[in-house]
Every structure is written in C-alpha cells, then in structure tokens.
Amino acid sequence: CAIDDAAAAISAFRAGATDVVTWGDLTSRLLARSARNAVPRRSVRAEPLDRQQYLRAIAENSFDAVVLLDRVGIITFVSESIERITGFSAAELAGHRVLDLIHLEDVTEVRSALERCVTTPGQRVHVEFRAAAKDGSWQHREIVAISRLDDPAVGAIVVNYRDITPRKRAEAALIESERLYRETCDAA
C-alpha cells in the first residue's frame, strides 16, 4: 500500500503487510514490483500432494496400459487399466514372463524388439503382435517400449500397451470388401 508517514507504515506491517511504499519513493518500477508481490502467483495446476498417487491415477484411467519389465522380460508392474484391455488383473500378470503371453508366431519379433530396447537405451521401439486375453482369445496388441533400465528412478523397460484388435478387424474387413469389389467388377 502507498502511505505518507512512518506511523502508518508500522501500522500496516502490524496488520500483516509485507511491503509498503511511501509516496516520496514511488516510481513506476517500484510500483510494478509492489503490484507483482501483492498479487499471489498461481500456477495452472498446483503440485499434487502425493506425486505417486497422482501418476497412478493418470495411468489407471488411460485407454492404454503401462507395463514395466525387468531386463529379462519379467513383468514387475502393470497399471490397473490392463484388466479392461486383457481381462487379466495386474496381480495375475505381475511376476510372469511377458513372452509367455505372446502368440508363438509372434514371439521372435517381440523378443527381438525387447532386445533392441535393452541394447539401445532411450530409443523407442514399436511392435505389433498377438497376445492372449483371459477369455482364451488372441488380441492384436501394439506397444511402444523404451528402456529406462539405467535410470535409477525407474530401473525398468517402460511399455505403453494397447489393444488394436478392432483396428485389425476393420483392416481385414476392408481388404475382403476390396477383394469382393474387384471380383464383381472383373465378372461384369
């Protein structure tokens, strides 16, 4: 606040003021500084009280699942959203070898992708494959993985995981439709 005597300044401090400006000292620079200090700064989002709980809430409510693997492909963490995708709970998957869930025809490609991930830390690896669902069906999956094994805060291969079965079915239906169209046109 701007005041014109020392007694008023003392009263202002006693009332909780953190800064006072006397009329004799008032300059545009000082006024701008005082205005900045008088208005509380607010960020777009306050820092969450529990960062781990905050990140877990994001992972659990994602369409994708997050899976952490150790160096040899053992599942060490799975976000709860995995159950919506696969039918398996996180507890059912933790501790298992990820390759045990992969269709036999796709194991070699997935193993190779995981090896690339381990040997090139920081490099994203993308692969599509079939994996078992809890109901016994095979779903098409897509992953993007990156090795954070050397990062002490993570110490794992981080995998973002999604079900692409509907997309694969749509692609197959389109291919079949195009084939039928060509046959019809050729016959005409």
Side-chain angles (χ1 to χ4, degrees):
C1 67
I3 58 173
D4 60 1
D5 71 356
I10 292 170
S11 294
F13 279 119
R14 285 185 181 147
T18 57
D19 193 13
V20 294
V21 177
T22 62
W23 285 113
D25 295 333
L26 192 59
T27 64
S28 61
R29 176 178 280 164
L30 187 57
L31 184 59
R33 185 202 68 185
S34 294
R36 278 194 310 272
N37 291 338
V39 177
R41 292 187 180 105
R42 296 183 189 254
S43 63
V44 173
R45 175 187 52 78
E47 190 62 30
L49 295 176
D50 182 344
R51 187 134 179 93
Q52 189 172 24
Q53 192 173 24
Y54 172 77
L55 294 173
R56 185 175 306 246
I58 291 171
E60 288 173 359
N61 292 293
S62 172
F63 287 111
D64 294 353
V66 176
V67 178
L68 299 182
L69 305 174
D70 70 6
R71 188 173 298 278
V72 295
I74 303 295
I75 299 168
T76 60
F77 169 83
V78 185
S79 64
E80 296 296 325
S81 57
I82 196 77
E83 191 164 2
R84 187 174 52 252
I85 297 169
T86 68
F88 291 108
S89 71
E92 289 174 299
L93 294 175
H96 286 83
R97 275 178 19 116
V98 72
L99 293 177
D100 293 343
L101 302 166
I102 309 299
H103 192 284
L104 287 176
E105 293 175 7
D106 299 334
V107 167
T108 302
E109 183 179 2
V110 174
R111 180 182 291 119
S112 174
L114 291 174
E115 287 170 359
R116 280 194 321 273
C117 205
V118 170
T119 58
T120 55
Q123 182 96 14
R124 284 183 180 79
V125 175
H126 176 268
V127 66
E128 295 180 6
F129 57 91
R130 291 163 291 173
K134 189 170 184 174
D135 66 7
S137 66
W138 292 103
Q139 296 175 331
H140 290 271
R141 309 279 172 73
E142 174 183 53
I143 64 167
V144 176
I146 189 166
S147 175
R148 297 286 188 223
L149 290 164
D150 296 334
D151 181 344
V154 181
I157 298 169
V158 179
V159 180
N160 290 316
Y161 185 98
R162 72 174 49 160
D163 180 13
I164 59 169
T165 304
R167 184 183 86 198
K168 290 294 192 177
R169 287 182 183 147
E171 288 171 358
L174 179 61
I175 290 168
E176 178 63 13
S177 174
E178 288 172 346
R179 185 189 65 76
L180 292 172
Y181 178 75
R182 276 192 300 277
E183 283 179 8
T184 304
C185 288
D186 290 346

